[in-house]
Amino acid sequence: MLKIEKLVAGYGKVRVLQEVSITVPKGQLVTLIGSNGAGKTTTLRAISGMLKPESGTVMLAGADITGMPSHEIAKRGLAHSPEGRRVFSTLSVADNLELGAFTRAIGARPRGEIRQDRERMYEMFPRLAERRAQFAGTLSGGEQQMLAMARALMLNPEVLLLDEPSMGLAPLLVEEVFATIARLKERRVTMLLVEQFAAAALDVADYGYVLENGRVTVSGEAAKLRGDPAVRAAYLGAAH
Amino acid sequence: MLQILAQLIVSGISVGMIYAVIAFGYQLTFATSKTLNFGQGEALMLGSLVGWTVVAYTGYWLMLPVVLAFGLVQGAVVERLGVRQAIKTKSESGWIMATIALGIIFRNLAENIWGRDALKFPSPLPETPIALGGVRVLPMEIAIVVGAIAMMAAVELFNRRSIYGKAVVATANDRDAAGLMGINTGRVITFSYALSSLAAAFAGVLIAPVTSTGAAMGGALGLKAFAVAIIGGLSSGVGVVVGGVILGITENLTGYYISTGYKDVPGLVLLLLVLSFRPAGLFGRATIKKV
């Protein structure tokens, strides 16, 4: 569904990604783990058009989307829940969700039942239902994270990119986020998950990639990576 | 005595509402792009002069849609020629020079087409003042207040209710995130420039029946409205109305009680005070940001 080949990207003259190749098959959950500064967020930004790649290709459902502006990529069905949540703080929770379906509302993607989908999000995230009329800027960090994920889902995406959905959340909320991701996986949502909690990410994922200094160093089935001694030592906090 | 004071305040309000509409235009572009059209006064002047030409054929009410459409196009042209490139290259000041330059070009153009003299603009309403409890008000002055509020309310309604309006607010909140929603934020910025010039052009044909029109009318209005936008805050709709009315009234009071020569001073002093003590403007709010 999503295929990235030899992606090179960076900021100005600083190259962050060195020929990164990742494949996310339809209906699968792939996770990208690695330490801070390895280039996980940059990878997602280069996929969704927030950052223009220097070279390499990004294919979405067989079509080349490399270097397209992010609004064009969204119209092709890629949703990105970005690092730092980036909810629209002076709009209500309900309006944030409606904007998640912007491409559907303007007819760039199959319209479907936008209102019903929003109700479904409220069922999935009951806290958002309680706060639907509130400005998104007044939500707690955990609630904003729920909103960012729900907003991305409102696109009815072919592929969903999730950037550090657990960042800055209390342990209980982290569990809730991972439970939500597991539920999405059951519904066969194709996802690329970037996470700092590598163990939890590998527990829920089908496949994993380890990114080090802008390169993929290890990849394999999530279960295998969990057992890999090098991965365990470096990212899973296991004893030596 | 009191009657004179009341008279000065009432006529200050209508001028103040004109400032408010132009300042509102500054806010529209600042919200989405953090840039301003420093040729906003010239947008008002052009709208007013186009209206002057059209009104001879159509009458006042049919002239309005023509002028509003002209404002939209003129604003879009300013954005395409003067601002887009500066935003793309993240230039800190390119847009300032570019919008000032475009303003001067528009003014020159207007001087060559319509001449340099003031032109009488036919009023759609009776030009005899109505007496309201001893205060004499021109029907057009009331129309200015009503028109200004209607214009701002219409934009506010659009922003709150329609999906496209929400897309504008989203772009103002976080341009990158808006792009991820599939919103073409470049187009939103063009649109906000178009809307901003529409507001100015509308203000131009609102005030012209009271003050007359001419190629020179834009400069001072644009500058004063800029002061209003700073006083009221670049993010607050209520702020520009209050700021505009305060400026309109103080100008009138100074002009009458001190000297017309000092008419412009109190507003600018107020501007300096606000910049020193409340840089976000009297009504500017600190945006809620959670990390």
Coordinates of all heavy atoms in Angstrom, one line a residue, chain A residues 48 50 70-71 74-75 80 82 86 88-91 95 98-100 102-103 106 137-139 144 151, chain B residues 159-161 163-164 166-167 169-171 173-174 176-185 288 290-291:
Chain A
S48 N 4.5 12.4 4.0 CA 3.2 13.1 3.9 C 3.3 14.5 3.2 O 2.3 15.2 3.1 CB 2.6 13.3 5.2 OG 3.3 14.2 6.0
M50 N 5.1 17.1 4.2 CA 5.4 18.3 5.0 C 6.9 18.7 4.8 O 7.3 19.8 5.0 CB 5.3 17.9 6.5 CG 3.9 17.7 7.0 SD 3.8 17.1 8.7 CE 3.8 18.7 9.6
S70 N 1.5 18.5 0.7 CA 0.7 17.6 1.6 C -0.8 17.6 1.3 O -1.4 16.5 1.5 CB 1.0 18.0 3.0 OG 0.8 19.4 3.2
H71 N -1.3 18.7 0.8 CA -2.8 18.6 0.6 C -3.2 17.7 -0.6 O -4.2 17.1 -0.5 CB -3.4 20.0 0.4 CG -2.9 20.8 -0.8 ND1 -3.5 20.7 -2.0 CD2 -1.8 21.5 -1.0 CE1 -2.9 21.5 -2.9 NE2 -1.8 22.0 -2.3
A74 N -2.9 14.1 0.9 CA -4.1 13.8 1.7 C -5.3 13.4 0.9 O -6.0 12.5 1.2 CB -4.5 15.0 2.6
K75 N -5.4 14.1 -0.3 CA -6.5 13.8 -1.2 C -6.4 12.4 -1.8 O -7.3 11.8 -2.2 CB -6.6 14.8 -2.4 CG -7.2 16.1 -2.0 CD -7.1 17.1 -3.1 CE -7.5 18.5 -2.7 NZ -7.1 19.5 -3.7
H80 N -2.0 11.7 8.3 CA -0.8 11.8 9.2 C -1.2 12.5 10.5 O -1.6 13.7 10.5 CB 0.3 12.7 8.4 CG 1.5 12.8 9.1 ND1 2.6 13.5 8.6 CD2 2.0 12.4 10.3 CE1 3.6 13.5 9.4 NE2 3.3 12.9 10.5
P82 N 0.4 14.1 13.3 CA 1.8 14.5 13.4 C 2.3 14.6 14.8 O 1.5 14.6 15.8 CB 1.8 15.9 12.8 CG 0.4 16.4 13.0 CD -0.5 15.2 13.0
R86 N -0.7 18.9 17.1 CA -1.1 19.9 16.1 C -2.6 20.0 15.9 O -3.1 20.1 14.7 CB -0.4 19.6 14.8 CG 1.1 19.4 14.9 CD 1.9 20.6 15.2 NE 2.0 21.5 14.0 CZ 3.1 21.5 13.2 NH1 4.1 20.6 13.4 NH2 3.1 22.3 12.2
F88 N -6.3 22.0 16.0 CA -6.6 23.4 15.7 C -7.2 24.0 17.0 O -8.3 23.8 17.3 CB -7.5 23.5 14.5 CG -7.0 22.8 13.3 CD1 -7.6 21.8 12.7 CD2 -5.8 23.3 12.7 CE1 -7.0 21.2 11.5 CE2 -5.2 22.7 11.6 CZ -5.8 21.6 11.0
S89 N -6.4 24.8 17.7 CA -6.7 25.1 19.1 C -7.9 26.0 19.2 O -8.6 25.9 20.2 CB -5.5 25.7 19.8 OG -5.0 26.8 19.0
T90 N -8.2 26.9 18.2 CA -9.3 27.8 18.3 C -10.6 27.3 17.6 O -11.5 28.0 17.4 CB -9.0 29.2 17.8 OG1 -8.9 29.2 16.4 CG2 -7.7 29.8 18.4
L91 N -10.5 26.0 17.3 CA -11.7 25.4 16.7 C -12.2 24.3 17.7 O -11.4 23.7 18.5 CB -11.5 24.7 15.4 CG -11.3 25.7 14.2 CD1 -10.7 25.0 13.0 CD2 -12.7 26.3 13.9
D95 N -15.4 20.5 15.2 CA -14.9 21.2 13.9 C -13.5 20.5 13.5 O -13.3 20.3 12.4 CB -14.7 22.7 14.1 CG -16.0 23.4 14.1 OD1 -17.0 22.8 13.7 OD2 -16.0 24.6 14.5
E98 N -14.5 17.4 11.8 CA -15.0 17.7 10.5 C -13.9 18.1 9.5 O -14.0 17.6 8.3 CB -16.0 18.9 10.6 CG -16.8 19.1 9.4 CD -17.7 20.4 9.5 OE1 -17.9 20.9 10.6 OE2 -18.3 20.8 8.5
L99 N -12.9 18.8 10.0 CA -11.8 19.1 9.1 C -11.0 17.9 8.7 O -10.3 17.9 7.6 CB -10.9 20.2 9.7 CG -11.5 21.6 9.6 CD1 -10.7 22.6 10.5 CD2 -11.5 22.1 8.2
G100 N -11.0 16.9 9.6 CA -10.3 15.7 9.2 C -10.9 15.1 8.0 O -10.2 14.4 7.2
F102 N -12.1 16.9 5.5 CA -12.2 18.0 4.6 C -12.2 17.5 3.1 O -13.0 17.9 2.3 CB -11.0 19.0 4.8 CG -11.1 20.2 3.8 CD1 -11.9 21.2 4.1 CD2 -10.2 20.2 2.7 CE1 -11.9 22.3 3.2 CE2 -10.2 21.3 1.9 CZ -11.1 22.3 2.1
T103 N -11.2 16.6 2.8 CA -11.1 16.1 1.5 C -12.4 15.4 1.0 O -12.8 15.4 -0.2 CB -10.0 15.0 1.3 OG1 -10.2 14.0 2.3 CG2 -8.6 15.7 1.5
I106 N -15.3 18.1 0.3 CA -15.2 18.9 -0.9 C -15.2 17.9 -2.1 O -15.0 18.4 -3.3 CB -13.9 19.7 -1.0 CG1 -12.6 18.9 -0.9 CG2 -13.8 20.8 0.1 CD1 -11.3 19.6 -1.3
G137 N -7.9 23.6 22.0 CA -6.8 24.2 22.8 C -6.9 24.0 24.3 O -6.0 24.1 25.0
T138 N -8.2 23.8 24.7 CA -8.4 23.6 26.1 C -8.4 22.2 26.6 O -8.5 21.9 27.8 CB -9.8 24.2 26.5 OG1 -10.8 23.4 25.9 CG2 -10.0 25.6 26.0
L139 N -8.1 21.3 25.7 CA -8.1 19.8 26.1 C -6.8 19.5 26.8 O -5.8 20.2 26.5 CB -8.2 18.9 24.9 CG -9.5 19.1 24.0 CD1 -9.5 18.0 22.9 CD2 -10.7 18.9 24.8
Q144 N -6.0 15.7 23.6 CA -5.5 16.2 22.3 C -4.9 15.1 21.4 O -5.1 15.1 20.2 CB -4.4 17.3 22.5 CG -5.0 18.6 23.0 CD -4.0 19.8 23.0 OE1 -3.0 19.7 22.4 NE2 -4.4 20.9 23.5
R151 N -9.0 12.7 14.3 CA -9.1 13.6 13.1 C -8.5 13.0 11.9 O -9.0 13.1 10.8 CB -8.3 14.9 13.5 CG -8.4 16.0 12.5 CD -7.6 17.2 12.9 NE -6.2 16.9 13.1 CZ -5.2 17.8 13.4 NH1 -5.6 19.1 13.6 NH2 -4.0 17.5 13.5
Chain B
N159 N -16.7 31.9 8.6 CA -15.6 31.2 9.3 C -16.1 30.1 10.3 O -15.5 29.1 10.5 CB -14.7 32.1 10.1 CG -13.8 32.8 9.1 OD1 -13.6 32.5 8.0 ND2 -13.1 33.9 9.6
R160 N -17.2 30.4 11.0 CA -17.7 29.5 12.0 C -18.5 28.4 11.5 O -18.6 27.3 12.0 CB -18.5 30.3 13.0 CG -17.7 31.3 13.7 CD -17.9 31.2 15.2 NE -16.9 32.1 15.9 CZ -17.2 32.8 16.9 NH1 -18.4 32.7 17.5 NH2 -16.3 33.6 17.4
R161 N -19.3 28.6 10.4 CA -20.3 27.7 9.9 C -19.9 26.8 8.7 O -20.2 25.7 8.7 CB -21.6 28.4 9.6 CG -22.2 29.1 10.7 CD -23.1 28.2 11.5 NE -23.4 28.7 12.8 CZ -23.7 28.0 13.9 NH1 -23.6 26.7 13.8 NH2 -24.0 28.5 15.0
I163 N -17.6 24.8 5.9 CA -16.3 24.0 5.9 C -15.2 24.8 5.4 O -14.0 24.6 5.8 CB -16.6 22.6 5.2 CG1 -15.3 21.7 5.3 CG2 -16.9 22.9 3.7 CD1 -15.2 21.1 6.6
Y164 N -15.4 25.6 4.4 CA -14.3 26.4 3.8 C -13.9 27.5 4.8 O -12.7 27.8 4.9 CB -14.8 27.1 2.5 CG -14.9 26.0 1.4 CD1 -16.2 25.6 1.0 CD2 -13.8 25.5 0.8 CE1 -16.3 24.6 0.1 CE2 -14.0 24.5 -0.2 CZ -15.2 24.1 -0.6 OH -15.4 23.1 -1.5
K166 N -14.0 27.1 8.0 CA -13.2 26.4 9.1 C -11.8 26.1 8.5 O -10.9 26.1 9.3 CB -14.0 25.1 9.4 CG -15.2 25.4 10.3 CD -16.1 24.1 10.5 CE -17.4 24.5 11.1 NZ -18.3 23.3 11.1
A167 N -11.8 25.9 7.2 CA -10.4 25.6 6.6 C -9.6 26.9 6.8 O -8.3 26.8 7.0 CB -10.6 25.2 5.2
V169 N -9.8 29.1 9.2 CA -9.4 29.2 10.6 C -8.3 28.2 10.9 O -7.3 28.4 11.6 CB -10.6 29.0 11.6 CG1 -10.2 29.0 13.0 CG2 -11.7 30.0 11.3
A170 N -8.5 27.0 10.3 CA -7.5 25.9 10.6 C -6.1 26.4 10.0 O -5.1 26.2 10.7 CB -7.9 24.6 9.9
T171 N -6.1 27.0 8.9 CA -4.8 27.5 8.3 C -4.2 28.5 9.2 O -3.0 28.6 9.4 CB -5.1 28.1 6.9 OG1 -5.7 27.1 6.1 CG2 -3.8 28.5 6.2
N173 N -4.6 28.7 12.4 CA -4.1 28.0 13.6 C -2.8 27.3 13.4 O -1.9 27.4 14.2 CB -5.1 26.9 14.0 CG -6.2 27.4 15.0 OD1 -6.7 26.6 15.8 ND2 -6.5 28.7 14.9
D174 N -2.7 26.6 12.3 CA -1.5 25.7 12.1 C -1.5 25.3 10.6 O -2.2 24.4 10.2 CB -1.6 24.5 12.9 CG -0.3 23.6 12.9 OD1 0.4 23.7 11.8 OD2 0.0 22.9 13.9
D176 N 0.8 23.9 8.6 CA 1.2 22.6 8.2 C 0.1 21.6 8.4 O -0.1 20.7 7.6 CB 2.5 22.2 8.9 CG 3.7 22.9 8.4 OD1 3.6 23.4 7.2 OD2 4.7 22.9 9.1
A177 N -0.5 21.6 9.6 CA -1.5 20.7 10.0 C -2.7 20.8 9.1 O -3.3 19.8 8.7 CB -1.9 20.8 11.5
A178 N -3.0 22.0 8.7 CA -4.1 22.2 7.7 C -3.8 21.6 6.4 O -4.7 21.0 5.8 CB -4.4 23.7 7.6
G179 N -2.6 21.6 6.0 CA -2.2 21.0 4.7 C -2.4 19.5 4.8 O -2.9 18.9 3.9
L180 N -2.2 18.9 6.0 CA -2.3 17.5 6.2 C -3.8 17.1 6.1 O -4.1 15.9 5.8 CB -1.8 17.0 7.5 CG -0.3 17.1 7.7 CD1 0.1 16.6 9.1 CD2 0.4 16.2 6.7
M181 N -4.7 18.0 6.3 CA -6.1 17.8 6.2 C -6.6 17.8 4.7 O -7.7 17.5 4.4 CB -7.0 18.8 6.9 CG -6.7 18.9 8.4 SD -7.0 17.4 9.3 CE -5.3 17.0 9.8
G182 N -5.7 18.1 3.8 CA -6.0 18.2 2.4 C -6.4 19.7 2.0 O -6.9 19.9 0.9
I183 N -6.2 20.6 2.9 CA -6.5 22.0 2.6 C -5.4 22.6 1.8 O -4.2 22.6 2.3 CB -6.7 22.8 3.9 CG1 -7.9 22.2 4.7 CG2 -6.9 24.3 3.7 CD1 -8.0 22.6 6.2
N184 N -5.7 23.2 0.7 CA -4.7 23.9 -0.1 C -4.4 25.3 0.6 O -5.1 26.3 0.3 CB -5.2 24.1 -1.5 CG -4.1 24.7 -2.4 OD1 -3.2 25.3 -1.9 ND2 -4.3 24.5 -3.7
T185 N -3.4 25.3 1.5 CA -3.3 26.5 2.3 C -2.8 27.7 1.5 O -3.0 28.9 1.8 CB -2.3 26.3 3.5 OG1 -1.1 25.8 2.9 CG2 -2.9 25.2 4.4
I288 N -3.6 29.9 23.3 CA -3.4 28.7 24.2 C -2.5 27.7 23.5 O -2.8 27.3 22.3 CB -4.8 28.1 24.5 CG1 -5.7 29.1 25.1 CG2 -4.6 26.9 25.4 CD1 -7.2 28.8 24.9
K290 N -0.4 24.2 24.1 CA 0.1 23.1 25.1 C 1.2 22.3 24.4 O 1.1 22.0 23.2 CB -1.1 22.2 25.3 CG -2.1 22.7 26.3 CD -2.7 21.6 27.2 CE -3.5 22.2 28.3 NZ -4.8 22.4 28.0
V291 N 2.2 22.0 25.2 CA 3.3 21.3 24.7 C 3.3 19.9 25.2 O 3.0 19.6 26.3 CB 4.7 21.9 25.0 CG1 5.8 21.2 24.3 CG2 4.6 23.4 24.6

